[in-house]
Amino acid sequence: MVQTEGHGVGRQRAGWRPDRLREHREAHGLTLEEAGERLRVVAEQARVTVPAANPQTLSMHETGESYPGPPYRRAYCLLYRATEPSLGFRPALPGEETQFEVTPLPEQRNGSHVIAVERALTRISDGDGFDSFGWQQRVMEAWKRRRTGGDPHRPCVVLVGGYAGSGKTEFARFLTQLTGWPLVDKDPLTRPLVELLLTSLGSQPHDRHTEIYRDRVRPAEYAALMQAVYSNVSCQISTVVTAPFIAELTNEEWMQRLINRCSAQGVDVAPIWVRCDVESMHEYISHRGAARDAWKLERWDEYLATIDVALRPVVPHLVVDNRLGSAISLADQARQAIGAMSV
């Protein structure tokens, strides 16, 4: 049996090779103490919280006594500039190690920051009738043109949706950092009013599962969110907006109204669905410790009965494959590379 951070004793992880961590640390010439210090630094820079990062904890990871939780795995990937499969945390997903050519950057030579960004963008694939390669190029050009000025493309509203714990917010932040487009995130935008409204209706402030929330609060919550988005649309400002969008992305009429309203202002719409596996979603939700997730965690099987991991938007869309955290790991490294270029 294996000790898993935050979850007590758990089963052996498929494909886990804890010896790889030690090999990477030794290849970097680091002691356990030095690795812990650097791990805390990269975690802080990436705004990832690692509980202790002391030599004892790192030793338990390297010997297989404890399987690192999501914050530690993200920090290790950043520290060693590696992926989860190469660090032995899990097997690689199909296509995860795919190599590709780097597009030329006219104003400077190609470097590790360009490679990191393009690697991360390869996790976006065609979900149903959407030109994924063209959209990847569009994001890359927006990032590059932040340094040269001007963008030949129409403004764009990017809807980043997915189930709780899928990694949609992290990926939306990554897109915002690349492009400079503003981020509209449902939770911080609407939570204060939602909690007050739920309380006034006799429910709990963190209720996200009763009819009171679904029928009386959620419609107003999403209406407020989209009003913020439409304010940017009316100014022809490209915007990244993130929320679960479960009901919306599967409602053809709702999506078509959005597309028509944006098109009338000369703005495109790019729906993105963040795909994730059930085990990873549970792990992410458990570690973030949000009060609104308490009901899901206490009644996990009941919650799972309400979701469909095979769900996809009903209109042409893009898909980010974040199973086992693969997309977020690459996004972390791309952000680190970008930050290194700005120092």
Side-chain angles (χ1 to χ4, degrees):
M1 304 295 279
V2 178
Q3 183 74 20
T4 304
E5 294 167 6
H7 296 287
V9 178
R11 62 178 175 79
Q12 178 69 38
R13 296 294 180 123
W16 183 26
R17 291 281 307 279
D19 54 301
R20 295 269 186 90
L21 271 180
R22 176 179 54 78
E23 293 171 1
H24 275 76
R25 176 176 59 79
E26 292 177 348
H28 282 72
L30 299 174
T31 64
L32 284 170
E33 291 80 2
E34 291 168 339
E37 291 174 2
R38 295 196 185 184
L39 200 68
R40 287 190 291 271
V41 171
V42 298
E44 183 179 354
Q45 291 173 341
R47 298 182 181 179
V48 174
T49 302
V50 291
N54 54 44
Q56 293 76 19
T57 300
L58 270 61
S59 177
M60 292 177 68
H61 293 164
E62 293 184 3
T63 59
E65 294 179 58
S66 175
Y67 183 75
Y72 266 110
R73 297 201 303 273
R74 290 176 66 181
Y76 276 127
C77 288
L78 288 170
L79 174 63
Y80 297 131
R81 297 181 181 273
T83 62
E84 287 202 6
S86 67
L87 289 177
F89 293 136
R90 58 175 175 79
L93 293 170
E96 194 167 1
E97 304 299 339
T98 301
Q99 299 294 318
F100 56 92
E101 294 184 1
V102 178
T103 55
L105 192 64
E107 60 268 29
Q108 63 188 75
R109 294 186 306 160
N110 290 320
S112 61
H113 60 300
V114 181
I115 296 172
V117 169
E118 294 204 348
R119 283 180 62 199
L121 289 178
T122 60
R123 301 313 298 170
I124 302 176
S125 60
D126 180 13
D128 178 16
F130 208 108
D131 179 11
S132 59
F133 177 77
W135 201 81
Q136 290 171 21
Q137 293 297 108
R138 182 171 182 170
V139 172
M140 281 296 296
E141 288 176 12
W143 173 52
K144 294 172 184 176
R145 289 178 187 280
R146 291 179 67 187
R147 290 153 178 80
T148 60
D151 186 345
H153 299 289
R154 283 161 46 117
C156 184
V157 168
V158 186
L159 297 182
V160 183
Y163 287 112
S166 62
K168 59 184 177 296
T169 301
E170 285 295 328
F171 199 82
R173 289 172 179 167
F174 168 61
L175 291 179
T176 291
Q177 188 164 2
L178 287 187
T179 61
W181 300 341
L183 173 65
V184 179
D185 186 344
K186 177 183 74 68
D187 283 338
L189 179 68
T190 65
R191 187 184 304 140
L193 287 175
V194 166
E195 293 180 355
L196 184 63
L197 182 56
L198 283 166
T199 302
S200 69
L201 292 172
S203 185
Q204 299 298 313
H206 305 302
D207 167 22
R208 297 297 185 275
H209 59 279
T210 68
E211 289 185 0
I212 291 179
Y213 171 72
R214 289 194 302 267
D215 298 340
R216 303 181 65 181
V217 176
R218 188 185 186 280
E221 179 183 27
Y222 274 78
L225 173 71
M226 295 312 297
Q227 286 301 313
V229 174
Y230 289 136
S231 294
N232 284 355
V233 168
S234 65
C235 299
Q236 295 191 318
I237 297 173
S238 290
T239 304
V240 180
V241 53
T242 182
F245 286 122
I246 308 301
E248 291 72 22
L249 287 171
T250 55
N251 184 326
E252 191 168 1
E253 291 184 2
W254 190 94
M255 287 300 304
Q256 198 56 56
R257 286 196 300 271
L258 169 65
I259 292 169
N260 291 344
R261 184 166 178 175
C262 290
S263 181
Q265 297 287 339
V267 176
D268 295 332
V269 175
I272 296 182
W273 180 256
V274 181
R275 177 188 183 190
C276 194
D277 58 290
V278 169
E279 186 174 85
S280 295
M281 287 190 286
H282 184 276
E283 192 175 35
Y284 297 155
I285 291 173
S286 298
H287 276 79
R288 72 186 181 189
R292 65 186 182 280
D293 294 327
W295 183 88
K296 299 183 186 73
L297 293 173
E298 291 170 2
R299 300 170 176 81
W300 186 248
D301 290 339
E302 184 178 345
Y303 168 67
L304 287 184
T306 68
I307 72 173
D308 175 12
V309 293
L311 182 145
R312 295 292 183 273
V314 293
V315 296
H317 60 279
L318 299 158
V319 174
V320 171
D321 189 349
N322 194 38
R323 288 175 298 170
L324 306 177
S326 57
I328 297 307
S329 177
L330 293 177
D332 280 340
Q333 294 179 63
R335 282 186 289 212
Q336 184 189 56
I338 294 167
M341 285 297 298
S342 62
V343 174

